[in-house]
Amino acid sequence: MTVAAEPVDHRSYCRFCIAQCGIIVTTSGDRVVAVKGDPDDPISGGYTCPKGRALGAFHHSPARLDHPLARRDGDLVRVSWDELLDDLHAQLAEIVVESGPDAVAMFLATGSAYDANGRRAGDRLLRSLGSRSRYTSTTVDAPGKMLVSELMAGHPGLLPALDHDNATLVLLVGTNPLVSHGHTNAFPNPSVRLRQLAARGELWVVDPRRTETAKIATHHLAPRPGTDYALLAFLVRELLRDGADQAYLAEHADGVARLAAAVERFDLPQAAAITGLEPDELSRLLAAVRHHGRVAGQTGTGATMSAAANVTEWLMWALHVVTHSYEVPGGMWFQPGFLHRLHKRDLHPSDSVPAPGPRSRPELACRWGEQPCAALADEIEAGNVRALIVLGGNPVTALPEAPRLVEAFRKLDVLVVADVVETDTTALATHVLPCTGQLERPDVPHTVDQFMPVLGTRYTPAVVAAGAERKPMWWPLAQLGRRFGIAVLPGGLDPDGCTDDDLLATLVERSSVGFDELRRERVVVEQQAVFGWVERGLLPEGRWRVAPEPLVSQLKALAPPAPLVLVPHRQLRHLNSQLREPAATAGARPDLPEILVHPADAEAAGVVHGQAVEVRSGAGALVGTLRVDEEIRRGAVSMPHGYAQPNVGNLTSGRVGVDPLTGMVLQSGVPVELAPAS
Ligand SMILES: Nc1nc2c(c(=O)[nH]1)N[C@H]1C(S)=C(S)[C@@H](COP(=O)(O)OP(=O)(O)OC[C@H]3O[C@@H](n4cnc5c(=O)[nH]c(N)nc54)[C@H](O)[C@@H]3O)O[C@H]1N2
Ligand SMILES: Nc1nc2c(c(=O)[nH]1)N[C@H]1C(S)=C(S)[C@@H](COP(=O)(O)OP(=O)(O)OC[C@H]3O[C@@H](n4cnc5c(=O)[nH]c(N)nc54)[C@H](O)[C@@H]3O)O[C@H]1N2
Ligand code: SF4
Ligand SMILES: [Mo]
């Protein structure tokens, strides 16, 4: 008879999403037996969602990667780490000699964003190899946010954050934090936070679907997808006439007359016609802004993935500037990041001139040291990219034109995937690196610290020992670097001698706590919000540029949306492609990849609830199950992403609808047709 080990509780934090909830992980021996919210956590207050609670099941998933794998005669077979790294080095070195360093590309995505050491090692390896072929999930998520930040404030890294403690008028456009836990603004414990905001004043949700968040909001507006810009332009137009803080604008804004001219055509009838909203609804929102005087507004992927992404973000910023809502209590503050400490740095204004596009797609813009994901398949097909290193990503279900991308991946000489479980992408890999998962490694939020709802940080130790032959992601990257004669680790640290903590300590150096103190405290909240550093320290002469020319031009050129368009939505139990299978969640009921359509649109297409339907776009088609839903507006076909079947990447395109300023793939507002599946 075996005696079960005594259960032990460990304090940690969840690294599936930006909420980064404080958790208590209970282990018994090397088994994780329970994960629950940490009631003493000052940020998440004991909250967890089903994904966090599935962490133990995910850790013990039958799909976990245990051993290094390499493809031999068509099959992935177990090899030693040394064999894998030697082989990989030989192949990559040959590619670099034959085709230059840009032929080695890297895709850094969600799984790497929460692995502070691994992410940094990836970036340093690629840079030291001299490759410019860096792809991240930014160009399929929200590059418009960086663009607008740069064009209006002279720095791409500003992230406006809600003042949770004081805001009385909150405006959420195309984001559903009750399910997603926020887009660039984390909402840990979202139902408590949102209810508090609603109780303090007004919470308006702008979304073509009556979402979970809309249901607890004080007001919901359901515009035609892709038309949020017209609603915001209307508000800015009317406020400039009555309600704007004119004294503030005179001192702190350049281009006010150009902004007024740009939004001039968006009067009430015009805004109502474009958005499909009732004039009354628009007038009530305008009255609310005038009444509160200040607004705290946030966009999400419903807006940032649309054709009007940049313009919508710009007008959201303009709304804040016009009402003097940036950097004041009750409005928005700029989250500098506890570890990044933008507010303490000597930042230099940048000019937003894009680098030339990738060789196969010179018309695309490349900004902020990365290539647009829209061009990845082209670059592989053209032979410009021959090796791809995927760090914590599943591009097969994340990027456009999935069938074409899969074919392109098959043509690669080398496809390295560093992951924790088998995925649609490891299935195509030539080399698989089994990495330590979140319970097996210490960490701090580094890449994601600007998304936190407070100026603060966290630390977690490893909760369980690394199983099987798994290694921290930084390790194989550093060993590969060593074979190239490159120091991937900072400060001369030796990949054979150093620990995860040695590396994390170097990331904490710049912050206001010592690493030992952070390790003791686990959570540090330095301030709830910091006000004033952007206006005082960063803006040229303290002035916002409220009418950047490229955005004014984009606004002029916007066309009305097609009658029926694909829009995204996220589901609570899975994150992108993660946790979508029952195996990953110990058999718990998984989300279903249903296609949500309004009854009238279903009737017009001759399809009924529960039926297999075909959705077709200019890029391709898919078949899925229809859910007829009263709560979605007519004209929107809403589908989650992250599934291999149906893969919404069949409908999106790397060529048509790509944003000329950022290379962003059109994923919200793709014209589609609906029919019974044959
Ligand atoms: N449970 C869960 N959480 C997640 C994720 C996940 O997959 N699952 N993914 C994570 C990631 S990578 C991200 S980037 C964030 C995203 O976080 P969010 O941006 O909050 O994502 P969603 O919950 O999909 O909310 C987008 C909303 O936009 C609406 N929408 C669609 N088109 C339009 C439009 O044209 N206008 C307006 N106004 N609304 C529109 C949709 O109906 C949907 O309700 O979530 C993160 N959190
Ligand atoms: N049509 C359409 N396409 C979309 C979207 C959409 O709404 N509609 N959303 C877009 C958005 S916002 C995003 S961010 C992208 C997401 O694109 P990806 O980031 O590629 O998507 P994920 O499925 O989250 O992939 C994360 C991978 O990391 C792995 N992982 C998890 N934990 C770890 C770890 O500790 N270490 C390592 N090494 N790996 C780990 C997971 O197993 C998974 O394979 O998709 C985009 N694509
Ligand atoms: S909201 Fe859920 S997935 Fe996100 S950090 Fe919290 S427990 Fe993890
Ligand atoms: Mo994302």
Side-chain angles (χ1 to χ4, degrees):
M1 198 181 87
T2 52
V3 181
E6 277 294 305
V8 182
D9 283 349
H10 311 258
R11 263 179 96 189
S12 184
Y13 72 93
C14 173
R15 279 154 283 166
F16 274 126
C17 87
I18 60 167
Q20 305 182 73
C21 301
I23 51 175
I24 303 285
V25 183
T26 309
T27 57
S28 171
D30 60 4
R31 299 294 300 176
V32 175
V33 293
V35 175
K36 52 183 186 302
D38 178 355
D40 298 324
D41 192 276
I43 304 172
S44 55
Y47 172 85
T48 50
C49 82
K51 297 182 293 299
R53 295 192 294 275
L55 201 42
F58 185 62
H59 172 68
H60 295 296
S61 156
R64 267 315 286 271
L65 296 168
D66 288 336
H67 305 288
L69 305 172
R71 201 166 289 278
R72 302 271 184 269
D73 302 324
D75 294 320
L76 280 177
V77 298
R78 193 171 153 177
V79 293
S80 71
W81 272 112
D82 269 340
E83 198 182 335
L84 181 142
L85 290 165
D86 286 342
D87 177 53
L88 191 53
H89 170 248
Q91 290 198 51
L92 293 180
E94 195 179 305
I95 291 171
V96 170
V97 168
E98 286 173 3
S99 306
D102 288 343
V104 178
M106 194 175 272
F107 179 55
L108 297 126
T110 307
S112 74
Y114 298 94
D115 174 351
N117 289 331
R119 176 78 171 215
R120 184 169 55 164
D123 269 327
R124 289 175 65 108
L125 174 66
L126 194 71
R127 200 170 42 229
S128 303
L129 280 175
S131 169
R132 288 169 298 182
S133 300
R134 179 171 180 271
Y135 297 80
T136 80
S137 37
T138 299
T139 54
V140 282
D141 183 333
K145 290 195 174 182
M146 292 172 75
L147 180 76
V148 167
S149 169
E150 189 164 36
L151 289 173
M152 289 183 74
H155 190 280
L158 299 186
L159 277 180
L162 288 168
D163 178 7
H164 281 267
D165 291 339
N166 302 292
T168 62
L169 174 61
V170 174
L171 178 61
L172 300 178
V173 177
T175 178
N176 184 17
L178 204 56
V179 165
S180 69
H181 301 86
H183 183 254
T184 65
N185 272 195
F187 270 84
N189 212 352
S191 126
V192 167
R193 279 174 192 272
L194 289 161
R195 281 176 214 276
Q196 270 168 2
L197 290 169
R200 193 181 305 127
E202 299 180 44
L203 170 60
W204 289 70
V205 169
V206 179
D207 197 304
R209 189 165 73 87
R210 204 167 112 78
T211 58
E212 296 76 359
T213 306
K215 285 178 188 159
I216 60 170
T218 58
H219 299 78
H220 173 218
L221 302 179
R224 208 169 274 146
T227 64
D228 307 284
Y229 70 91
L231 175 150
L232 294 165
F234 161 74
L235 292 178
V236 171
R237 174 189 197 269
E238 296 302 323
L239 289 163
L240 283 173
R241 287 174 159 73
D242 171 19
D245 186 334
Q246 297 293 352
Y248 176 78
L249 285 179
E251 210 171 317
H252 290 288
D254 284 333
V256 178
R258 267 177 290 134
L259 173 64
V263 297
E264 181 52 30
R265 69 184 163 102
F266 296 95
D267 60 5
L268 185 60
Q270 185 63 15
I274 297 174
T275 58
L277 293 169
E278 293 300 325
D280 253 15
E281 297 180 293
L282 289 163
S283 299
R284 269 201 295 273
L285 175 56
L286 173 63
V289 179
R290 284 186 177 141
H291 171 72
H292 290 266
R294 200 148 275 168
V295 53
Q298 169 70 39
T299 60
T301 50
T304 64
M305 295 177 170
S306 76
N310 307 329
V311 164
T312 305
E313 192 64 22
W314 158 45
L315 293 171
M316 184 61 115
W317 280 55
L319 175 64
H320 287 96
V321 175
V322 160
T323 53
H324 188 190
S325 300
Y326 275 156
E327 303 210 284
V328 285
M332 306 288 281
W333 57 291
F334 288 91
Q335 165 58 287
F338 181 88
L339 297 176
H340 282 95
R341 298 203 94 59
L342 291 185
H343 60 319
K344 302 286 182 199
R345 288 206 222 167
D346 194 11
L347 298 174
H348 301 287
S350 53
D351 55 7
S352 196
V353 176
R359 270 190 286 159
S360 62
R361 299 288 301 278
E363 83 284 7
L364 291 179
C366 286
R367 293 179 188 272
W368 316 300
E370 60 184 277
Q371 311 284 315
C373 287
L376 183 56
D378 298 288
E379 283 291 275
I380 298 171
E381 285 169 1
N384 300 335
V385 166
R386 294 176 54 197
L388 175 65
I389 304 172
V390 176
L391 302 184
N394 192 6
V396 168
T397 59
L399 302 190
E401 288 172 273
R404 184 177 154 223
L405 190 70
V406 167
E407 281 318 302
F409 280 3
R410 291 189 208 283
K411 293 198 190 96
L412 284 165
D413 294 323
V414 174
L415 175 58
V416 187
V417 182
D419 209 300
V420 292
V421 290
E422 292 163 11
T423 70
D424 314 292
T425 306
T426 60
L428 302 168
T430 58
H431 301 77
V432 176
L433 316 181
C435 297
T436 50
Q438 42 172 310
L439 296 177
E440 297 168 312
R441 62 169 193 262
D443 231 323
V444 297
H446 185 248
T447 312
V448 286
D449 81 337
Q450 277 186 285
F451 302 143
M452 291 180 73
V454 295
L455 186 68
T457 194
R458 297 181 174 280
Y459 167 82
T460 176
V463 164
V464 291
E469 289 187 273
R470 293 167 205 146
K471 293 281 190 189
M473 191 161 76
W474 61 262
W475 185 87
L477 301 173
Q479 297 292 354
L480 196 57
R482 167 174 278 175
R483 284 164 170 79
F484 275 102
I486 292 169
V488 166
L489 304 182
L493 286 167
D494 173 3
D496 283 326
C498 86
T499 65
D500 289 356
D501 273 348
D502 294 338
L503 288 165
L504 292 176
T506 65
L507 282 170
V508 174
E509 262 164 14
R510 212 190 333 224
S511 86
S512 61
V513 289
F515 188 54
D516 290 336
E517 184 189 346
L518 178 59
R519 271 203 299 194
R520 243 186 351 263
E521 296 295 325
R522 298 296 181 81
V523 193
V524 172
V525 177
E526 184 179 332
Q527 265 172 272
Q528 295 296 323
V530 259
F531 295 104
W533 65 275
V534 170
E535 211 174 272
R536 276 197 310 271
L538 177 68
L539 290 184
E541 287 154 31
R543 298 171 82 84
W544 304 97
R545 297 184 291 229
V546 294
E549 196 285 318
L551 303 173
V552 172
S553 299
Q554 268 200 324
L555 174 61
K556 276 195 198 127
L558 283 175
L564 200 61
V565 293
L566 171 77
V567 295
H569 76 266
R570 271 143 228 276
Q571 297 171 299
L572 189 60
R573 291 185 185 78
H574 76 114
L575 189 123
N576 305 325
S577 72
Q578 307 177 60
L579 302 173
R580 66 180 188 212
E581 268 110 21
T585 56
R589 186 165 61 90
D591 291 321
L592 297 173
E594 292 171 324
I595 302 166
L596 276 51
V597 171
H598 186 272
D601 286 330
E603 200 188 324
V607 292
V608 296
H609 184 78
Q611 186 180 347
V613 294
E614 185 183 68
V615 185
R616 183 167 282 284
S617 75
L622 58 77
V623 172
T625 306
L626 187 76
R627 194 172 106 205
V628 173
D629 192 338
E630 294 276 352
E631 297 194 324
I632 186 143
R633 196 201 149 90
R634 272 207 82 168
V637 174
S638 186
M639 274 195 74
H641 72 290
Y643 293 96
Q645 183 48 46
N647 188 342
V648 75
N650 287 19
L651 301 176
T652 51
S653 171
R655 291 178 270 207
V656 179
V658 176
D659 182 72
L661 298 180
T662 61
M664 173 73 202
V665 175
L666 179 67
Q667 296 171 153
S668 178
V670 181
V672 289
E673 286 165 15
L674 190 63
S678 50

